[in-house]
Amino acid sequence: MEFFKKSLDPIVALAIIAVFDIFLFQIVGAWTVGGGETMIAGLFVKALVGAKEMNRIPFWRMVFKPTWAYWKIYISLGMGFGALVSAILSKEFYWRVPKHLSEWVMITIGGLLMGIGIRLSFVCNVSTFLGLTPEMNLGGYLAVSGLVIGAWVGTWVYKKILEA
Amino acid sequence: MITVDGQCLAAFIFGSTVGVLVQRSRWCNTAALRDAMLFKSYRNTKALLVAMMILTVGFTAMISFGNGNPMRFDVGINQFIGLFLFGIGMVFAGACTVSSWVKTGEGNIGALWALLFLIVGLFLSSLMWSFSYWPLAGQTMTGHSNAAGLQFGWADALTLQRDTGIPAIVFGLIQTAALYALYRRILRRERSTLAAEGKGEPVQGASLTSAAPVLAKSTDGNANVSAALPTLGE
């Protein structure tokens, strides 16, 4: 399997993904990850606390009713599955664990901020760049502006932390 | 009309394909922004722009012919605020939504940790919605503006086409031209950097840690920073 022995140019990879995404757009909708992750969060908590308790929270009762019959979940699960298969076939699967406490702290804060951002905006980075903006949705332009400024601020803060 | 099972299956096949291609190419959206800002390395940025160009033409062409499923998505100031927080978070975590799933599939515990706390952040902020009810998504995704809720209604290529009578593909081609101009600008910047350095090969600084050795040679000032960045990218 020659494909799994060498790395792929990201331009080629993203071009192929974009073509497939056009077919997905025709069938069901554009590639997105945040929606699936929101639903996974709902299903995860519902499994922990039960449907009755979950239904007491207005967001999960009125906006996002947890259900497995939500196609966006399967994009996220598919990405993990595809990467696992690819990593095994290319002999690149191995456990990687962050070594420093500072890394764990930054990843934790970063994960929380990403989750809060997705919930607040109803979009993630994928639907920003590769969903809403190609659909020329004004929300995409607002989201791109926020994301680029946020990434700039994050980079600046990170540099300051490292310098300190 | 495709069934729910068919939708889920199509999504899984698409997601698996993305997982394989991203794993083999090491593409990362975080790196596309951060590496461009921090290291002037555009390997991931160029790929993102190419995808955006293809998708803009594809989506707007489909909309012109009455096909496709554009998101019926209302614009609000919450998109700016939410993605601002997301942008900070993805740089801190060293991964975006795509790379966190892909790296988890590769056995990266840090990426799995980022995903877990993304879910925690999502759930905790869903509790805040219970108190603020903002943005009023359930009530204001009506396609109309709602100034009090800082929601501006639904505005995309489809509404442009409907309101102006001009096919969406025309607007799509204009946007594609703007994206291409940005792409050309990046190529020119790369060429001028190469010319200044007097090297024959473009800097193929892969995302995050794989970029570090390349950068360590070229810019001493960035070397320590790049070496200390979070390690989810590799």
Side-chain angles (χ1 to χ4, degrees):
Chain A
M1 297 260 259
E2 200 61 32
F3 177 78
F4 293 102
K5 287 180 182 169
K6 55 188 178 185
S7 64
L8 186 64
D9 186 334
I11 293 178
V12 175
L14 265 285
I16 295 169
I17 291 171
V19 172
F20 284 156
D21 194 16
I22 293 169
F23 287 107
L24 193 71
F25 178 72
Q26 170 70 19
I27 297 170
V28 60
W31 179 24
T32 173
V33 186
E37 286 178 338
T38 306
M39 193 60 83
I40 289 170
L43 290 165
F44 191 66
V45 179
K46 187 182 167 187
L48 288 176
V49 302
K52 195 177 172 186
E53 282 296 310
M54 198 68 176
N55 206 38
R56 287 176 56 197
I57 305 169
F59 181 80
W60 302 102
R61 188 175 67 243
M62 297 161 70
V63 184
F64 253 85
K65 288 180 183 161
T67 171
W68 284 102
Y70 188 59
W71 61 276
K72 293 175 185 176
I73 297 172
Y74 300 93
I75 294 182
S76 298
L77 298 179
M79 286 193 299
F81 173 74
L84 173 67
V85 172
S86 180
I88 290 170
L89 290 176
S90 56
K91 296 184 174 60
E92 289 176 1
F93 182 91
Y94 56 92
W95 299 110
R96 303 158 171 88
V97 183
K99 292 183 183 70
H100 307 291
L101 178 65
S102 59
E103 287 179 75
W104 286 101
V105 172
M106 293 306 277
I107 293 168
T108 305
I109 297 170
L112 286 169
L113 284 173
M114 285 196 288
I116 294 167
I118 288 174
R119 223 298 295 134
L120 192 58
S121 58
F122 295 102
V123 285
C124 64
N125 60 310
V126 171
S127 37
T128 292
F129 283 111
L130 306 173
L132 289 178
T133 304
E135 289 170 20
M136 302 188 70
N137 191 303
L138 194 57
Y141 303 133
L142 274 176
V144 166
S145 310
L147 186 53
V148 170
I149 296 170
W152 187 85
V153 170
T155 305
W156 184 82
V157 171
Y158 211 103
K159 275 178 77 174
K160 289 291 170 194
I161 291 170
L162 292 173
E163 284 165 9
Chain B
M1 188 68 184
I2 188 167
T3 62
V4 172
D5 288 347
Q7 290 179 353
C8 295
L9 182 64
F12 188 77
I13 293 168
F14 174 80
S16 302
T17 310
V18 169
V20 171
L21 291 169
V22 171
Q23 199 277 329
R24 295 315 304 143
S25 66
R26 309 237 167 265
W27 180 76
C28 176
N29 196 177
T30 307
L33 297 177
R34 189 209 46 224
D35 289 2
M37 291 172 189
L38 201 56
F39 309 131
K40 309 297 176 202
S41 169
Y42 302 100
R43 178 180 184 266
N44 292 280
T45 320
K46 287 187 294 184
L48 179 66
L49 287 171
V50 167
M52 288 176 79
M53 284 187 266
I54 294 170
L55 288 171
T56 301
V57 173
F59 287 175
T60 53
M62 282 205 167
I63 291 169
S64 299
F65 293 108
N67 293 319
N69 294 284
M71 277 190 261
R72 190 180 168 85
F73 194 86
D74 281 18
V75 184
I77 203 73
N78 55 305
Q79 269 103 57
F80 179 85
I81 300 169
L83 267 293
F84 173 77
L85 295 174
F86 186 98
I88 297 172
M90 75 178 195
V91 172
F92 280 13
C96 63
T97 49
V98 180
S99 52
S100 53
W101 281 101
V102 170
K103 298 298 166 194
T104 299
E106 286 183 320
N108 191 318
I109 301 299
L112 180 63
W113 191 258
L115 270 180
L116 278 176
F117 275 87
L118 186 150
I119 287 171
V120 170
L122 254 164
F123 183 74
L124 290 180
S125 52
S126 77
L127 297 175
M128 290 195 301
W129 190 85
S130 306
F131 299 107
S132 66
Y133 288 88
W134 187 85
L136 298 164
Q139 288 75 42
T140 60
M141 290 287 182
T142 58
H144 302 290
S145 63
N146 174 355
L150 296 174
Q151 299 286 296
F152 312 127
W154 180 27
D156 66 1
L158 184 58
T159 61
L160 265 177
Q161 178 177 269
R162 193 182 60 201
D163 295 343
T164 63
I166 300 168
I169 183 70
V170 175
F171 300 107
L173 289 173
I174 293 168
Q175 175 164 296
T176 306
L179 290 167
Y180 183 65
L182 184 60
Y183 184 80
R184 287 284 303 269
R185 195 173 164 185
I186 287 173
L187 288 183
R188 276 201 300 273
R189 184 169 288 188
E190 279 186 332
R191 280 195 213 104
S192 61
T193 306
L194 281 173
E197 289 179 355
K199 290 177 182 173
E201 289 296 319
V203 177
Q204 288 294 318
S207 64
L208 238 48
T209 51
S210 57
V214 176
L215 292 154
K217 288 176 193 167
S218 59
T219 50
D220 292 340
N222 283 335
N224 292 334
V225 175
S226 60
L229 279 167
T231 51
L232 294 190
E234 199 59 43

